């Protein structure tokens, strides 16, 4: 672990212990409230929690529990389709919202996420993978290094 990352890691663990409960309280107490300052606080602490998680993931050893969890087949699959999920989630949620006229719920979130994952996986199989297969027809050449400057 690089020295700079090790210093940040010492702050990451306490940050997680502070940010995650604050986010949970803000969601529980102010869910659906149209208060801009709550949104700012909520997203600030969500960003802090995810940043701390990222630092901890980068610092974990090869045999650590975090590495084992992050290397599971399910999570690597989500990573494979993550860009397609990002692209399609808005349309998926819009269609889901028009079909299911129910208030937001945890089950609805998981169902919408599963549908988004299915759309993304289908897109990857039907669209992206065939295009990636075309790479074999093109030669890859790295950029030439710039010539050293001549002293005059």
């Amino acid at each position: 672990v690089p020295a700079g990352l090790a210093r940040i890691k010492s702050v990451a663990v306490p940050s997680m212990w502070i940010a995650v409960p604050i986010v949970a309280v803000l969601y529980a107490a102010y869910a659906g409230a149209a208060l801009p300052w709550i949104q700012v606080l909520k997203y600030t602490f969500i960003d802090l929690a995810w940043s701390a998680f990222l630092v901890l993931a980068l610092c974990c050893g090869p045999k650590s529990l975090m590495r084992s969890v992050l290397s599971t087949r399910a999570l690597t699959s989500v990573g494979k389709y993550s860009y397609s999920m990002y692209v399609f989630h808005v349309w998926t949620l819009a269609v889901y919202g028009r079909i299911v006229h129910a208030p937001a719920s945890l089950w609805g979130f998981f169902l919408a996420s599963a549908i988004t994952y299915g759309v993304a996986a289908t897109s990857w199989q039907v669209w992206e993978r065939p295009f990636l297969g075309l790479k074999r027809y093109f030669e890859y050449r790295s950029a030439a290094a710039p010539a050293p400057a001549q002293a005059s």
Side-chain angles (χ1 to χ4, degrees), residues 23 42 50 58 71 79 108 136 142 145:
V23 169
K42 186 169 56 175
W50 279 114
L58 290 171
S71 300
R136 68 176 180 259
S142 61

Side-chain angles (χ1 to χ4, degrees), residues 6-21:
R7 282 194 303 270
I8 295 171
K9 181 183 176 188
S10 68
V11 177
V13 174
S15 297
M16 288 282 285
W17 283 107
I18 293 168
V20 171

Side-chain angles (χ1 to χ4, degrees), residues 72-92:
T72 60
R73 191 172 182 180
L75 285 182
T76 55
S77 174
V78 168
K80 181 178 184 178
Y81 304 130
S82 63
Y83 182 72
S84 292
M85 291 174 71
Y86 163 72
V87 169
F88 290 113
H89 83 279
V90 173
W91 292 296
T92 305

Side-chain angles (χ1 to χ4, degrees), residues 3-126:
L5 200 53
R7 282 194 303 270
I8 295 171
K9 181 183 176 188
S10 68
V11 177
V13 174
S15 297
M16 288 282 285
W17 283 107
I18 293 168
V20 171
I22 289 175
V23 169
V25 167
L26 289 174
Y27 266 109
Y30 296 102
L35 302 170
W37 66 273
I38 290 293
Q39 299 302 322
V40 170
L41 276 178
K42 186 169 56 175
Y43 288 115
T44 299
F45 283 105
I46 288 171
D47 292 343
L48 178 64
W50 279 114
S51 298
F53 177 79
L54 180 62
V55 168
L56 294 174
L58 290 171
C59 291
C60 69
K63 303 245 185 221
S64 68
L65 176 64
M66 183 176 281
R67 178 71 55 96
S68 299
V69 170
L70 293 175
S71 300
T72 60
R73 191 172 182 180
L75 285 182
T76 55
S77 174
V78 168
K80 181 178 184 178
Y81 304 130
S82 63
Y83 182 72
S84 292
M85 291 174 71
Y86 163 72
V87 169
F88 290 113
H89 83 279
V90 173
W91 292 296
T92 305
L93 292 175
V95 170
Y96 175 81
R98 287 186 179 256
I99 294 172
V100 180
H101 299 287
S105 69
L106 190 59
W107 288 112
F109 169 77
F110 286 121
L111 181 58
S113 296
I115 292 168
T116 301
Y117 177 87
V119 169
T122 302
S123 166
W124 194 88
Q125 295 292 334
V126 172

